[in-house]
Amino acid sequence: MPELNRRQQQAVEHIDSPLLVLAGAGSGKTRVITNKIAYLIQQCGHKAHTIASVTFTNKAAREMKERVSQIIPKSQTRGLRVSTFHTLGLNIIKSELKRLGLKSGFSIFDTHDSHALLKDLMRQPDAKGKSLDEETIKEHFEKIAKQISNWKNDCLTPEQLAQETASDPAFSYHVKIYGEYNHHLRTYNAVDFDDLIMLPVLVFSNHPEVLEKWRNRIRYLLVDEYQDTNTTQYQLVKLLVGDRTSLTVVGDDDQSIYCWRGAKPENLALLEKDFPQLRVIKLEQNYRSTKIILKAANTLIANNPHVFEKALWSELGNGEPIRVMRVADEHKEAVRVVSSLVAHHFRFKKSYGDYAILYRGNHQSRLFEKQLREQQVPYFISGGTSFFSHIEIRDIMSYLRLMVNPSDDNAFLRIINTPRRKIGSATIEKLSHYCNQSNTTLLAACDHLALNEYLPDNAIQRLSEFAHWMERLQRQSDSDKPIKVVEQLIVDIDYDTWLFETSNTEKQAEKRIENVNELVAWIKRLHENEPESSLGDLVSKMLLLDIMERNEDDSANDQVALMTMHASKGLEFPYVYIVGMEEELLPHRTSIEEENVEEERRLCYVGITRAQKELTFSLTAKRKQYGEMIDSEPSRFLDELPQEDLEWLDGKQQLEGEERKEFGKASMAGIRDILG
């Protein structure tokens, strides 16, 4: 990118009033923020430790910090705060423990911890001694968890909500659980993820002297991705800034795609009300995409209402037409997209890291993963549930980890009561205490005679039975083929029945069983390719792949990116495939029913503006839903694009000329890799 353009320079140098930088996709907003930090330090006399810049991801914060260090010497940036909202909130909490009723060393509950606590509270008997059954808990749990998170994001305490007169028993019950949940968090000296923003707002609101102290610490505040702020984050910003002019926020209402988790795009409009002297500077020159791609994005998003109008433009040339692949079903969609991608890769000698496959829902990734694996194409999953992240896959992999490594205590803890063996948390706690005293592993301790001083006979018997069973499988894995041991394991624990018992629907259980079957088939294929491999070798190979998929920095490697459109925000790729362009998928059925298609249109806009050089859509004539093949209808968003720039491809046609030839080369290369 060249030097700052005129509007970017204006945004950097404006300090006379609060500033909103309306930054379109690919318009260089990070450059503006980092250059403004340098300008504040070098030209305006601000000390680095009095400046704070907040964003939403650790990756974005790291990138911002690195870019600042490239502009000005590190000696001038000492003490500069560049972090996520939640990291800033955590630092505030750590400095105000006493006022918040917390002690040092407090825990931060993740989603799993929070959900476990909520479920335990829902199991508690009421004043009449009645308890909810597991079926009722399963039915209502998600709604309660989401409601409590929304209340925290709106900075509403249980005490405030309890004052509302509500005839709805469900509302009163939710408030009651919310109050008990917060009480237990404090008893455990813990906070949850939402508390990291809410508690600083509460301590600032209730203790003016604390707010004044932090206003003196942070004399200039910059906020990235402002359209993604929720109510509590906006209040935190307002409290820190007060009536000063020392605020720059960067945002784009067209890229607000997180309403479902509390983001309020209307916070952009509120700025004009809360900061009457607000200056607005628009960044509309795009440095990422071709004119055809930007024309499609502008035409699509023009169907949404806007507080601030803008139109992206580019000097990068017209570029290629936008391709639309129409195929018979989702299986053929995966084959067609991956075939096209591989052929393009070989024909034009591009890196696999130049390609991204974007989709609306995590469930769409599986078929593309399968095709990429079969074509020996390296890939990584971001922002969604990879194959290895499915609960059922993690369960079986944990059994296999423990089988090949009896010292793996984490694997032991995951599967000791999955499926249930009547080995409760009290038993595990005492077993863990014994292990700490005797310096042994959990699995080894299950058969120690000294356990009778810690546990009752029935608990010892169950632990011993588990240990002996695991030992038998370990011996079997040394003599039998690995696949036989894996199949025996699944039969022994009656895992199919467990999945039916713990799934919300029969269809979901069948899907989870299908995932397990695919894992078994994969292990079988790996062993057929490497007959001399032990079960330990195969497990190590799969765990390595799992770690690679979870590595945040894998996107920098030569791998195709698979991700939801939500996860793709802030990224860019030369060649982008947006799959599943169908009604009730994009836009999603829920958004249609709730009349919230505008956010889905913004999501599609985000997907389109990830593409730098070429963009391809795909859609199917039929798609399986709830076990049945149903007719699919093309997404309304395709109709809203400039039709003259679309090149429709019939899914029945063969790969053309050079593309077919290059795909043939790709397939042969894959075969050679397999054969060594």
Side-chain angles (χ1 to χ4, degrees):
M1 189 187 293
E3 292 299 312
L4 295 174
N5 64 38
R6 183 175 58 84
R7 288 189 180 178
Q8 289 172 334
Q9 194 69 43
Q10 287 174 350
V12 166
E13 296 177 358
H14 181 83
I15 58 170
D16 297 331
S17 69
L19 173 67
L20 165 60
V21 181
L22 197 67
S27 62
K29 66 180 178 63
T30 304
R31 253 179 124 238
V32 167
I33 294 175
T34 53
N35 275 273
K36 183 148 196 173
I37 291 171
Y39 182 78
L40 289 169
I41 295 171
Q42 294 185 317
Q43 304 298 323
C44 303
H46 283 267
K47 298 294 184 184
H49 67 268
T50 67
I51 300 171
S53 180
V54 292
T55 185
F56 282 84
T57 67
N58 288 321
K59 185 177 180 180
R62 283 197 304 271
E63 180 185 355
M64 205 176 291
K65 208 175 256 184
E66 288 168 4
R67 289 207 197 179
V68 171
S69 66
Q70 293 168 5
I71 300 173
I72 57 177
K74 285 189 177 180
S75 59
Q76 295 183 25
T77 63
R78 193 169 291 114
L80 175 68
R81 302 173 191 270
V82 180
S83 69
T84 64
F85 265 104
H86 291 89
T87 300
L88 175 61
L90 177 61
N91 290 334
I92 295 170
I93 291 171
K94 283 180 176 179
S95 73
E96 309 300 337
L97 291 175
K98 189 173 180 181
R99 289 182 175 85
L100 290 168
L102 292 165
K103 299 188 285 286
S104 61
F106 64 91
S107 300
I108 301 174
F109 272 30
D110 62 14
T111 301
H112 176 81
D113 297 326
S114 297
H115 287 187
L117 174 56
L118 282 172
K119 287 178 180 177
D120 283 344
L121 293 173
M122 293 174 71
R123 292 187 182 104
Q124 299 301 314
D126 60 17
K128 298 179 181 178
K130 291 184 178 180
S131 302
L132 297 178
D133 58 69
E134 290 299 318
E135 193 64 36
T136 303
I137 291 173
K138 184 188 293 185
E139 182 181 350
H140 295 286
F141 162 71
E142 290 288 350
K143 186 175 181 181
I144 291 178
K146 184 177 180 181
Q147 179 64 80
I148 290 174
S149 180
N150 287 343
W151 278 332
K152 290 197 174 192
N153 287 334
D154 288 338
C155 210
L156 295 171
T157 66
E159 294 73 23
Q160 289 172 310
L161 293 163
Q163 295 174 5
E164 294 187 19
T165 55
S167 57
D168 181 8
F171 176 85
S172 301
Y173 178 70
H174 290 187
V175 173
K176 171 179 169 289
I177 292 292
Y178 180 21
E180 293 175 354
Y181 171 73
N182 269 2
H183 173 73
H184 277 74
L185 282 177
R186 299 302 169 264
T187 301
Y188 298 151
N189 192 36
V191 299
D192 66 16
F193 194 64
D194 296 322
D195 283 333
L196 295 179
I197 308 297
M198 184 178 183
L199 291 181
V201 170
L202 292 178
V203 78
F204 285 167
S205 301
N206 297 328
H207 300 277
E209 72 282 6
V210 175
L211 176 59
E212 188 61 28
K213 177 176 71 177
W214 277 90
R215 281 181 176 173
N216 287 330
R217 287 182 181 178
I218 299 176
R219 293 186 170 274
Y220 202 101
L221 181 64
L222 302 99
V223 184
D224 189 20
E225 303 288 7
Y226 194 73
Q227 75 283 344
D228 293 336
T229 55
N230 59 37
T231 298
T232 309
Q233 287 161 337
Y234 182 49
Q235 290 183 10
L236 181 62
V237 170
K238 280 204 303 179
L239 285 165
L240 282 171
V241 175
D243 56 2
R244 298 179 301 189
T245 63
S246 53
L247 173 67
T248 292
V249 304
V250 181
D252 180 6
D253 52 347
D254 289 335
Q255 295 188 74
S256 180
I257 56 174
Y258 295 115
C259 291
W260 51 276
R261 69 182 190 196
K264 300 284 181 69
E266 55 267 32
N267 285 349
L268 284 169
L270 282 175
L271 283 169
E272 286 191 308
K273 174 189 171 191
D274 293 329
F275 299 96
Q277 293 180 302
L278 183 74
R279 168 89 182 273
V280 178
I281 295 176
K282 301 178 184 179
L283 303 183
E284 296 170 295
Q285 182 175 0
N286 176 282
Y287 293 92
R288 174 187 298 160
S289 307
T290 64
K291 290 181 179 179
I292 281 180
I293 291 171
L294 291 184
K295 179 182 173 185
N298 288 333
T299 306
L300 175 74
I301 206 65
N303 290 280
N304 273 6
H306 289 84
V307 176
F308 304 101
E309 296 291 340
K310 71 176 187 310
L312 298 178
W313 58 276
S314 171
E315 294 180 340
L316 298 180
N318 283 328
E320 298 294 321
I322 296 170
R323 301 201 304 171
V324 185
M325 295 178 178
R326 187 164 39 191
V327 296
D329 56 44
E330 64 261 46
H331 291 277
K332 289 185 172 62
E333 178 184 41
V335 171
R336 185 70 176 92
V337 167
V338 172
S339 299
S340 170
L341 185 155
V342 172
H344 191 281
H345 160 78
F346 275 88
R347 182 179 181 184
F348 296 104
K349 308 296 186 271
K350 300 299 180 181
S351 163
Y352 278 124
D354 288 343
Y355 300 87
I357 299 174
L358 310 182
Y359 35 78
R360 175 60 178 85
N362 293 324
H363 66 280
Q364 293 171 260
S365 70
R366 184 166 166 263
L367 292 174
F368 293 96
E369 283 188 81
K370 184 178 179 183
Q371 279 300 313
L372 290 165
R373 287 199 301 266
E374 289 185 0
Q375 292 297 329
Q376 302 288 304
V377 175
Y379 70 91
F380 77 98
I381 289 238
S382 173
T385 304
S386 76
F387 181 70
F388 286 106
S389 293
H390 290 290
I391 291 173
E392 59 274 14
I393 300 303
R394 292 173 66 188
D395 284 347
I396 302 302
M397 287 299 296
S398 293
Y399 273 104
L400 298 180
R401 282 166 48 195
L402 188 60
M403 194 185 305
V404 301
N405 178 16
S407 299
D408 192 334
D409 282 354
N410 284 336
F412 178 96
L413 290 171
R414 179 175 182 86
I415 52 91
I416 183 60
N417 213 31
T418 303
R420 293 190 185 95
R421 296 183 175 88
K422 297 183 179 179
I423 299 173
S425 57
T427 297
I428 298 302
E429 184 177 346
K430 291 174 182 176
L431 179 67
S432 298
H433 179 67
Y434 170 77
C435 289
N436 291 334
Q437 296 284 342
S438 58
N439 194 29
T440 189
T441 65
L442 291 168
L443 183 61
C446 289
D447 212 23
H448 282 201
L449 294 175
L451 268 185
N452 57 18
E453 298 179 15
Y454 291 80
L455 294 168
D457 290 345
N458 57 353
I460 293 173
Q461 181 181 348
R462 293 182 188 116
L463 289 171
S464 180
E465 288 174 353
F466 175 80
H468 289 162
W469 169 71
M470 184 59 67
E471 186 181 346
R472 286 197 302 274
L473 286 177
Q474 288 165 354
R475 288 198 303 268
Q476 186 180 344
S477 69
D478 292 335
S479 56
D480 285 349
K481 289 183 177 179
I483 192 64
K484 285 188 177 181
V485 183
V486 177
E487 290 171 341
Q488 185 63 50
L489 159 69
I490 294 168
V491 170
D492 284 354
I493 63 177
D494 196 12
Y495 196 64
D496 287 7
T497 300
W498 170 252
L499 290 179
F500 274 104
E501 288 176 355
T502 56
S503 298
N504 292 326
T505 65
E506 188 174 314
K507 294 295 182 185
Q508 185 187 55
E510 291 171 352
K511 187 72 172 176
R512 297 172 72 188
I513 290 171
E514 190 179 327
N515 284 339
V516 173
N517 291 338
E518 184 171 330
L519 176 66
V520 174
W522 194 3
I523 295 172
K524 186 176 182 180
R525 287 196 300 271
L526 284 175
H527 191 251
E528 287 172 350
N529 289 334
E530 302 175 19
E532 301 304 315
S533 295
S534 66
L535 181 61
D537 294 333
L538 301 178
V539 170
S540 296
K541 182 167 284 192
M542 289 188 290
L543 288 175
L544 179 59
L545 180 57
D546 184 15
I547 292 168
M548 287 176 63
E549 285 187 357
R550 293 171 187 272
N551 191 328
E552 187 184 55
D553 296 325
D554 269 352
S555 57
N557 297 331
D558 187 18
Q559 299 172 306
V560 175
L562 274 78
M563 62 183 67
T564 64
M565 279 178 276
H566 283 100
S568 74
K569 190 164 169 291
L571 303 176
E572 57 187 40
F573 304 90
Y575 310 103
V576 169
Y577 294 81
I578 299 179
V579 300
M581 285 293 291
E582 299 146 35
E583 286 291 298
E584 301 194 353
L585 199 52
L586 185 68
H588 194 270
R589 176 189 295 181
T590 303
S591 72
I592 297 172
E593 292 173 349
E594 295 177 355
E595 298 183 351
N596 189 25
V597 174
E598 288 176 11
E599 176 153 344
E600 294 290 294
R601 188 175 284 112
R602 293 195 294 268
L603 185 60
C604 187
Y605 173 87
V606 165
I608 291 172
T609 53
R610 298 313 94 197
Q612 296 171 291
K613 296 180 179 179
E614 294 182 20
L615 174 64
T616 304
F617 294 110
S618 69
L619 67 156
T620 67
K622 293 181 180 293
R623 189 177 292 271
K624 184 178 284 188
Q625 288 190 18
Y626 309 108
E628 295 182 11
M629 292 296 291
I630 65 168
D631 292 336
S632 301
E633 183 181 344
S635 169
R636 69 188 70 186
F637 300 149
L638 288 172
D639 290 334
E640 295 176 1
L641 298 175
Q643 300 301 302
E644 65 274 14
D645 293 333
L646 301 185
E647 181 181 300
W648 288 78
L649 303 177
D650 186 347
K652 294 179 181 178
Q653 71 187 38
Q654 297 296 316
L655 296 175
E656 296 178 359
E658 288 298 317
E659 191 175 22
R660 183 169 66 249
K661 187 188 300 181
E662 298 300 335
F663 181 64
K665 290 180 185 177
S667 299
M668 286 304 298
I671 292 170
R672 282 195 295 272
D673 286 343
I674 293 172
L675 296 177

